[in-house]
Amino acid sequence: MSRIGVFVCHCGLNIAGTVDVERVTAALATEPGVVWAEDYKYMCSEPGQQMIAQAIEERKLDGVVVAACSPNMHETTFRIACAGAGLNGYMCEIANIREQCSWVHADREAATRKAVAITRSMVEKVRGDEALVPIKFAVNKRALVIGAGISGMQTALEIADGGHEVVLVEREPHIGGHMAQLSETFPTLDCSSCILTPKTAEVGRHPRIKLLTHSEVVEVSGYVGSFKARIRRNPTYVDWGACTGCMECMNKCPKRVPSKFDCGMGESKAISVAFPQAVPYRPQIDRDSCIYFATGRCKVCERVCPTSAIRFEQEPEYVEEEVGAIVLATGYDLFNKALVGEYGYGQYPDVIDGLQFERLLSASGPTAGAILRPSDGKVPKQIVFIQCVGSRDEEKGMPYCSKICCMYSGKHARLYRHKVHDGQAYLFYMDIRAGGKGYEEFIQQGVEEDGLVYLRGRVARVFPEGDGLMVWGEDTLSGRKVEILADMVVLATAMVPRHDARELAQRLKVGTDAYGFFSEAHPKLRPVESLTRGIYMTGAAQAPKDIPEAVAQAGSAASKVLALFSGRELEHPPIIVELIPDLCSGCGLCVEACTYDARSIDPVSRLAVVNDILCQGCGACAAACPNGATVLRNASREQILNMVEALMQDE
Amino acid sequence: MSEHSLAAVNLRGGPSTEIWPDLARMVTRASGQPVLRCYQCHKCSSGCPAAEFMDFPPSQIVRLVTYGLADQMLSCKAIWACTGCMTCGLRCPNGIEVGAINDVFKSWILSGKLPQQVGDKLGTDQAKAGNRRAALFHKLFLMTLKQFGRMHELALMGGYKVASGDLLSDIPVGVKMLFKGKLPLLPTSGPYRREVAAMFQRAPLVTRRRLKPARRLSELNQRRQGR
Amino acid sequence: MVYAYYPGCTLHQQAAGFRDSTAKSAQALGIELAEMPNWQCCGAVYPLARDNLFGVVSAARNLAAAHDLGQAMVTICSACYHVHKRTNRLMATDQDARAKLDAYVETEYDGSGEVLHLLEVIRRDIGFDALRERVKVPLEGLKVAGYYGCLLLRPQEELEFDDPEAPRILEDLIEGLGAEAVTFSHRAECCGQYLSLSNPAAAHRCSGAILRSARRAGAEVVVTSCPLCFFNLDEAQAELAREDPEFQPLPVLYFTQLLALALGAWEQPWLPAEHQVDPGPVLSRFKLPVAEPAGSEE
């Protein structure tokens, strides 16, 4: 005979305001099998949990029903409370009389009757429950980090420092991401490379970081604790082991190409290393520009290489890495200014975007740090900075704010003024978002000390006028139209996810939002986790953010991974499906029904199989199975039918 | 749509105003434009070719509509100075076409049917004069069409001159055009004249949405055959 | 293929040069334009407010008539193109509006007909590159500024005529005729439209900015497709010259006048009556190579 205890929560007025909780308690007290029933104002509180523990001990309960809020909130709380008192946690069920009752009805009488019915049905469920034990499984304490920008590198370093091996995959031939392209960083105006290179150097030499650059993750299978990643190492056409980094190849290469690292503002060669501090400092051949690949002639690099490291015949190489956790840190791109018609569709050479301006500012950039007009190499005396290009723009498809542009536009304008003392900087803005530490002061300093002119209003048009660029805007605060003949215009274009982020997300079964940013499990409380256990995210790939936030998130993601790796084994909730082999006909409907790839047909026995760890206990296959061979634990057909009867009892 | 209303905000000082709390909603429905999305970036005003001749440039029009300041809208120069060039709608990041909002006010004024009563006389004399001329032009354009079925500029311009009392300006231009044969004395004619006149007569039916669709078509056809 | 040609009111009034040059050009190009019988005024403006169906009734009638003829409608006036194309789209996409307009105009038209601008017809049926071969009077060295105005380009989602921020169709035509296309900053800015009546000073400012911008870019002549733009740009120049002695007048033409000239279809396609600024000094140097005039004379 069951000995079930029912505990009804008031939840302040959330439940008690609509449902007569005393009546519910009284009704349940007379249910067969229920030996104890009481109510309390806040069951989830410590006294509330104490009540349950006490009742379990004193009344020798073998099942508990807590009628309260959604199991999403406190199922874990109550299960642990029961376990603490010696009752298996899976003998504790939640009757949701808040989200599914008191919060959605107004009629007190009807709501109370419904609450009784719901609780009654959960009593039926508990009656059929079995004590379950979490499934333990092995965890491979190696991590995969995809993307080696500042956030990815930081994650890798922290996991590696925590004692575990990290495979760090990066698409570019070098690490450092966009931060390597920056000149100085706000609000300190620290030289970006100066603060970045200690990290890149550390990553390069860390004994526990396996660095795979010029590589991409093409396939991932498995589950938390045992992922298998297939990584394609794209050919660099140079044997990096033999290469000494002398760069004679780059010096002598006859083919000039626009430099990708310099965002087209400068030139590079068909064989090149992106910048002097690149880690690894090894060259790669761009197949599309190389003369040899196009015509079969040249091969100058091969001739001049002192260690014969050039390998034109190199093919993509595939490696398999087994890891227990994955962190996505693929970063961002900038919205393409060639899509902005009112500012010239990318046709005016002196209209550039933020990253291009960074390359002009940078001492290692195409102009050695001098601000010069791309069109004629002259020093611009009037620069207009336009904020919110693409951002906060419903029509262009990016209604969000890109967060960093107010700060970096201010930074650009200030650095320009430091370099060109008789230059004038105008910034068109809508609002100034300077919420970080020292940010507002930075902007104010720009206005007070560097003479920046801020004009509130969006620019309608930029068009060429003589040698310059006419900018039509308005200063909304005075209501006057403004016309500026600028020498150069810098667009603060929106931050967008990488163009193939969605594809990667699909491969990993991670969600993305409407714009392609990776979806976190909860925007407030779980910002670095995805809904797939074992896969985490960090940095601008999740949402626009600045460097301090990217670094902080990296630490958070790393700590999640370290927590995952901290025990001997991992635990998986035991509410999964079980197979009754005698009833299985091998029809495969369960395989089709499963969205988690947890079902398959064994090729030898021709019977269905369950992968315990991939199974999320959704029950779809149990519903699909025509023979009833698949059973969801603690949710058998009898239990469910009994629950339905209990719900319909008074109807 | 939420019951957002800047109209509930008490505007301190300034001229006494007629506030219609529902104005934003009325205008949104009549114009099809998402008026409440505006965050005052003024990209519209910056690109508007007529803004310098307006008492309220496009961004301010949207703002005043949100405030419910109906009488300022109905008496201003701005709505009549709008050329309908649609540059504002092209550029607005929220897809708001301010010309459509201006059209709503103009059609309320020209039809003489305001959705709500307005208190005392509207606007300053100057604005009134300019508006009157523009409104007059609209009326006369339609009258000419109604009469002739096609545009007859001599009639239009003549009528406009007489009705606006502005007899003397443009006469040299007009005379030159007349002698150059650019202003035919007589209008062209054809069966379309009758049809257009008939359309004008039926106008109230359409504007009052009394005419029901397809169901009535057969009735109309029958009636036509019987004529 | 025969097109239902919709001339629009002004072509029979003050824009006769537009009318005649269109007829001659179309003939030279082999484009059959049959004037629609019984057409009526399109209303000239497309009502931007949503609750005003009456403003498009006239256009709806014309569209239904063209559809009944089984022909695509071709216009050359920007305003007529704008009104008809948008009304057509309204009838195709808005069931409620279509039902009301059909009931009112007593047709069953569903918006499936085509509304084309002559430029689109040339682009589609002949091609601007192929146009070169038909040119008998190449306009070598003539710097022509294509002025689009508003109504051809906006709203782009409905008209789909060309890119509203960087249009090309007039430049392609001009280059196809052997002339040099000059792009200038104000080629899609409003000319002032009816402000020329209610606020002439305002209209002059708009037109002045456009003309000055074209001049600065090196233009010798401006072409347009809208009779009102033509009127504003042409008419304003006397006053502009009075206000500013440095103002250099710039002749304005309809694009079909340039077309007729280049095709050798009309020796002197500018009617002195129509122009305040005489295009003669700029254009008279372009003549047919042989003394014999091609095509029909006026």
Side-chain angles (χ1 to χ4, degrees):
Chain A
M1 191 60 215
S2 307
R3 295 184 62 77
I4 297 172
V6 175
F7 302 87
V8 184
C9 183
H10 295 222
C11 195
L13 285 175
N14 276 318
I15 296 176
T18 313
V19 168
D20 184 342
V21 289
E22 273 106 13
R23 227 179 85 191
V24 173
T25 314
L28 268 296
T30 58
E31 280 294 303
V34 174
V35 303
W36 183 251
E38 60 180 326
D39 61 89
Y40 187 60
K41 250 200 158 45
Y42 298 104
M43 269 307 171
C44 57
S45 65
E46 277 180 23
Q49 294 177 48
Q50 254 307 100
M51 270 172 73
I52 299 176
Q54 205 170 335
I56 291 172
E57 281 167 23
E58 288 174 7
R59 311 283 160 178
K60 310 268 184 289
L61 302 178
D62 61 11
V64 161
V65 172
V66 183
C69 54
S70 162
N72 271 341
M73 302 286 132
H74 281 297
E75 186 178 68
T76 314
T77 312
F78 292 124
R79 286 196 170 159
I80 292 175
C82 291
L87 176 65
N88 182 283
Y90 295 94
M91 306 300 290
C92 168
E93 294 284 358
I94 311 297
N96 184 347
I97 59 170
R98 190 181 77 171
E99 281 86 337
Q100 302 211 334
C101 190
S102 70
W103 269 2
V104 295
H105 300 301
D107 181 336
R108 197 176 167 81
E109 176 58 35
T112 304
R113 280 210 314 273
K114 181 171 171 178
V116 169
I118 292 174
T119 315
R120 209 183 261 148
S121 74
M122 294 319 285
V123 166
E124 288 307 318
K125 184 168 197 278
V126 161
R127 232 200 277 279
D129 279 347
E130 283 173 4
L132 298 173
V133 170
I135 303 165
K136 294 200 196 304
F137 59 101
V139 52
N140 185 349
K141 298 182 185 182
R142 286 175 96 231
L144 169 66
V145 177
I146 306 180
I150 179 64
S151 204
M153 288 196 305
Q154 185 67 26
T155 313
L157 284 170
E158 296 200 21
I159 298 173
D161 283 347
H164 301 285
E165 200 177 292
V166 178
V167 178
L168 180 56
V169 176
E170 165 57 50
R171 185 172 26 207
E172 294 297 316
H174 57 268
I175 57 177
H178 283 303
M179 192 172 166
Q181 292 172 296
L182 304 183
S183 171
E184 277 105 328
T185 55
F186 56 79
T188 50
L189 293 184
D190 272 316
C191 150
S192 183
S193 293
C194 306
I195 55 178
L196 183 66
T197 44
K199 293 213 189 277
T200 54
E202 216 189 320
V203 166
R205 63 166 184 261
H206 202 294
R208 277 189 289 277
I209 295 181
K210 184 169 173 187
L211 183 58
L212 301 175
T213 60
H214 212 239
S215 306
E216 288 172 80
V217 174
V218 296
E219 211 185 295
V220 170
S221 58
Y223 48 84
V224 60
S226 37
F227 289 110
K228 237 199 212 68
R230 195 168 149 79
I231 299 163
R232 185 181 65 227
R233 309 224 52 200
N234 295 319
T236 54
Y237 305 107
V238 178
D239 177 352
W240 281 8
C243 172
T244 59
C246 74
M247 293 305 152
E248 264 305 285
C249 52
M250 186 170 168
N251 288 337
K252 296 290 192 292
C253 173
K255 181 68 189 284
R256 289 180 189 281
V257 297
S259 160
K260 196 172 137 194
F261 188 77
D262 286 335
C263 306
M265 303 293 283
E267 274 188 342
S268 184
K269 300 283 187 72
I271 183 169
S272 65
V273 71
F275 58 105
Q277 308 103 313
V279 171
Y281 190 68
R282 294 285 179 271
Q284 53 102 24
I285 298 181
D286 175 21
R287 199 196 168 100
D288 295 329
S289 349
C290 171
I291 298 177
Y292 170 73
F293 280 114
T295 66
R297 295 194 303 275
C298 188
K299 285 197 174 184
V300 167
C301 49
E302 198 179 49
R303 279 206 302 279
V304 303
C305 176
T307 56
S308 307
I310 307 291
R311 301 268 180 282
F312 290 111
E313 70 288 354
Q314 226 181 47
E315 293 281 326
E317 202 190 300
Y318 289 89
V319 299
E320 305 270 337
E321 291 287 348
E322 289 179 4
V323 295
I326 302 178
V327 182
L328 298 167
T330 49
Y332 67 94
D333 271 331
L334 283 186
F335 175 59
N336 191 352
K337 69 178 194 288
L339 298 170
V340 186
E342 55 267 43
Y343 305 149
Y345 286 127
Q347 297 299 311
Y348 310 144
D350 294 328
V351 176
I352 59 179
D353 68 25
L355 269 177
Q356 288 178 308
F357 195 75
E358 289 282 349
R359 295 315 300 148
L360 288 182
L361 283 168
S362 170
S364 66
T367 57
I371 308 297
L372 302 173
R373 286 171 20 123
S375 61
D376 56 15
K378 293 211 183 100
V379 177
K381 295 297 185 198
Q382 300 225 105
I383 300 190
V384 166
F385 297 87
I386 304 180
Q387 297 182 191
C388 291
V389 177
S391 307
R392 301 182 64 184
D393 196 327
E394 185 88 46
E395 292 286 298
K396 292 203 171 46
M398 287 155 295
Y400 57 85
C401 167
S402 292
K403 205 163 188 189
I404 58 171
C405 327
C406 287
M407 285 308 295
Y408 78 62
S409 294
K411 173 189 79 173
H412 285 168
R414 290 191 67 185
L415 291 170
Y416 163 67
R417 290 275 300 136
H418 295 174
K419 286 179 193 263
V420 182
H421 299 301
D422 59 343
Q424 182 61 61
Y426 302 94
L427 299 98
F428 282 94
Y429 70 100
M430 292 215 289
D431 299 287
I432 295 296
R433 298 185 166 178
K437 193 163 178 174
Y439 287 17
E440 178 67 24
E441 300 91 309
F442 180 82
I443 299 291
Q444 276 301 120
Q445 253 190 326
V447 174
E448 289 172 26
E449 291 176 22
D450 296 324
L452 304 188
V453 174
Y454 275 91
L455 297 160
R456 186 188 180 274
R458 260 201 194 201
V459 168
R461 253 191 101 182
V462 174
F463 56 89
E465 183 73 32
D467 274 338
L469 293 156
M470 183 62 79
V471 176
W472 279 0
E474 181 172 309
D475 170 25
T476 75
L477 301 178
S478 66
R480 306 295 299 267
K481 260 183 152 168
V482 169
E483 222 176 58
I484 299 179
L485 186 60
D487 298 317
M488 185 187 263
V489 172
V490 184
L491 307 176
T493 43
M495 256 178 134
V496 297
R498 298 280 183 185
H499 65 96
D500 50 356
R502 265 214 180 88
E503 229 184 273
L504 178 65
Q506 267 166 10
R507 263 181 260 143
L508 268 67
K509 299 202 181 35
V510 165
T512 54
D513 67 8
Y515 317 112
F517 291 108
F518 296 128
S519 291
E520 61 289 305
H522 190 280
K524 287 243 185 238
L525 300 178
R526 300 174 69 194
V528 297
E529 300 164 73
S530 74
L531 281 170
T532 306
R533 197 170 169 212
I535 302 185
Y536 307 95
M537 60 188 72
T538 177
Q542 179 251 347
K545 57 175 60 74
D546 54 26
I547 293 168
E549 285 169 340
V551 171
Q553 267 199 345
S556 173
S559 78
K560 295 266 182 264
V561 172
L562 291 172
L564 198 70
F565 292 173
S566 62
R568 267 183 338 131
E569 295 158 313
L570 289 179
E571 283 187 354
H572 185 66
I575 310 238
I576 58 172
V577 292
E578 276 175 349
L579 187 71
I580 305 174
D582 288 346
L583 293 176
C584 175
S585 61
C587 68
L589 279 173
C590 55
V591 178
E592 277 176 47
C594 181
T595 49
Y596 298 100
D597 289 341
R599 303 301 312 259
S600 55
I601 302 286
D602 185 294
V604 175
S605 68
R606 306 283 281 272
L607 296 179
V609 174
V610 183
N611 179 322
D612 287 359
I613 311 302
L614 282 175
C615 177
Q616 303 294 312
C618 71
C621 58
C625 178
N627 301 342
T630 294
V631 178
L632 181 57
R633 285 188 195 155
N634 280 6
S636 69
R637 283 189 186 194
E638 297 104 86
Q639 275 173 293
I640 295 186
L641 287 171
N642 288 341
M643 285 167 75
V644 171
E645 275 192 35
L647 285 169
M648 304 305 288
Q649 197 173 311
D650 286 337
E651 302 300 323
Chain B
M1 207 172 87
S2 67
E3 282 310 315
H4 163 115
S5 188
L6 261 181
V9 171
N10 223 338
L11 294 173
R12 295 161 57 119
S16 71
T17 54
E18 186 88 26
I19 296 185
W20 294 359
D22 266 352
L23 183 63
R25 195 161 47 87
M26 284 193 259
V27 168
T28 298
R29 200 174 48 212
S31 66
Q33 303 306 311
V35 166
L36 291 178
R37 270 204 223 155
C38 174
Y39 47 41
Q40 290 293 305
C41 73
H42 291 217
K43 199 167 175 191
C44 51
S45 303
S46 295
C48 173
E52 53 194 305
F53 318 119
M54 292 177 167
D55 38 6
F56 301 118
S59 47
Q60 261 195 300
I61 288 177
V62 176
R63 193 65 175 170
L64 294 179
V65 166
T66 337
Y67 272 118
L69 295 172
D71 70 334
Q72 289 203 279
M73 290 287 84
L74 294 168
S75 65
C76 71
K77 272 201 297 185
I79 57 179
W80 301 100
C82 170
T83 67
C85 78
M86 293 167 286
T87 303
C88 50
L90 171 67
R91 300 258 166 83
C92 175
N94 290 309
I96 302 172
E97 168 64 62
V98 186
I101 296 171
N102 294 336
D103 261 20
V104 167
F105 286 107
K106 285 190 276 194
S107 74
W108 285 345
I109 292 169
L110 286 175
S111 68
K113 291 184 172 62
L114 299 176
Q116 243 180 254
Q117 270 311 104
V118 188
D120 52 6
K121 299 230 175 81
L122 307 177
T124 67
D125 285 330
Q126 253 190 342
K128 269 161 87 174
N131 295 350
R132 217 166 43 83
R133 282 212 301 278
L136 195 54
F137 180 73
H138 280 262
K139 286 210 161 87
L140 282 166
F141 192 97
L142 282 179
M143 267 172 57
T144 316
L145 268 191
K146 189 172 170 183
Q147 180 102 20
F148 299 113
R150 291 181 187 170
M151 191 32 51
H152 181 44
E153 275 155 17
L154 192 61
L156 171 63
M157 291 315 299
Y160 178 72
K161 290 292 161 203
V162 169
S164 67
D166 180 19
L167 284 169
L168 295 177
S169 73
D170 288 349
I171 288 293
V173 173
V175 168
K176 216 168 32 164
M177 284 167 82
L178 202 55
F179 279 112
K180 282 183 166 189
K182 286 183 78 174
L183 282 183
L185 280 171
L186 294 174
T188 53
S189 196
Y192 57 84
R193 258 176 96 160
R194 230 190 7 252
E195 298 207 26
V196 175
M199 278 181 175
F200 272 83
Q201 279 179 334
R202 280 181 290 178
L205 287 174
V206 173
T207 50
R208 251 181 267 139
R209 296 164 208 239
R210 288 257 187 83
L211 216 55
K212 297 274 191 306
R215 240 186 313 144
R216 298 255 307 192
L217 183 59
S218 53
E219 288 171 40
L220 291 168
N221 281 337
Q222 275 169 7
R223 241 189 272 160
R224 191 165 45 157
Q225 268 143 32
R227 225 185 304 158
Chain C
M1 112 179 255
V2 183
Y3 291 103
Y5 173 49
Y6 179 88
C9 303
T10 43
L11 263 66
H12 286 275
Q13 305 270 313
Q14 52 131 314
F18 203 4
R19 174 194 65 206
D20 296 338
S21 55
T22 298
K24 292 185 198 305
S25 309
Q27 191 177 44
L29 289 173
I31 298 174
E32 279 186 75
L33 300 177
E35 181 168 335
M36 287 171 63
N38 233 10
W39 57 268
Q40 56 199 82
C41 177
C42 67
V45 284
Y46 185 80
L48 295 176
R50 230 192 223 174
D51 59 353
N52 188 356
L53 269 187
F54 181 60
V56 298
V57 161
S58 201
R61 202 195 139 270
N62 290 328
L63 289 167
H67 190 65
D68 285 342
L69 290 169
Q71 296 163 353
M73 183 193 280
V74 172
T75 73
I76 49 168
C77 164
S78 301
C80 304
Y81 173 73
H82 183 97
V83 174
H84 282 110
K85 185 124 189 211
R86 290 186 76 182
T87 306
N88 202 37
R89 231 186 117 109
L90 178 72
M91 294 186 82
T93 54
D94 184 337
Q95 302 241 5
D96 193 47
R98 182 203 312 164
K100 291 194 174 98
L101 289 170
D102 276 345
Y104 192 61
V105 169
E106 297 183 345
T107 81
E108 283 172 29
Y109 180 59
D110 60 356
S112 60
E114 234 186 332
V115 175
L116 295 167
H117 189 278
L118 185 64
L119 284 168
E120 293 177 303
V121 175
I122 296 175
R123 179 172 61 189
R124 189 176 75 169
D125 292 357
I126 296 168
F128 294 121
D129 282 333
L131 192 61
R132 275 176 222 275
E133 286 139 42
R134 316 262 199 131
V135 168
K136 299 217 168 48
V137 183
L139 305 172
E140 292 291 328
L142 178 66
K143 298 204 170 77
V144 184
Y147 174 66
Y148 290 84
C150 312
L151 302 175
L152 287 180
L153 299 175
R154 302 182 283 270
Q156 194 236 359
E157 326 64 89
E158 293 187 37
L159 298 175
E160 295 179 307
F161 181 76
D162 205 342
D163 184 326
E165 299 282 8
R168 277 287 328 158
I169 198 170
L170 277 177
E171 284 71 31
D172 287 342
L173 175 79
I174 292 163
E175 283 167 9
L177 299 179
E180 192 185 316
V182 170
T183 53
F184 59 109
S185 57
H186 282 56
R187 62 199 180 116
E189 295 291 319
C190 184
C191 67
Q193 216 209 34
Y194 293 109
L195 288 184
S196 43
L197 273 175
S198 52
N199 190 344
H204 285 171
R205 289 274 279 283
C206 293
S207 301
I210 293 164
L211 292 163
R212 287 189 171 96
S213 166
R215 257 291 172 216
R216 266 201 312 275
E220 297 176 86
V221 74
V222 176
V223 292
T224 176
S225 175
C226 172
L228 189 50
C229 294
F230 179 97
F231 178 83
N232 282 343
L233 292 178
D234 193 42
E235 206 58 42
Q237 301 200 37
E239 183 64 31
L240 288 170
R242 248 197 307 278
E243 287 168 6
D244 173 13
E246 312 223 351
F247 177 77
Q248 287 177 286
L250 190 55
V252 185
L253 285 178
Y254 292 107
F255 75 95
T256 46
Q257 289 173 310
L258 203 68
L259 185 59
L261 177 67
L263 293 173
W266 197 353
E267 202 177 324
Q268 190 178 300
W270 58 93
L271 302 178
E274 247 178 37
H275 297 261
Q276 297 290 333
V277 180
D278 182 9
V282 176
L283 294 181
S284 52
R285 70 183 192 264
F286 296 102
K287 299 203 184 302
L288 271 175
V290 184
E292 196 187 339
S296 51
E297 275 288 4
E298 217 196 325

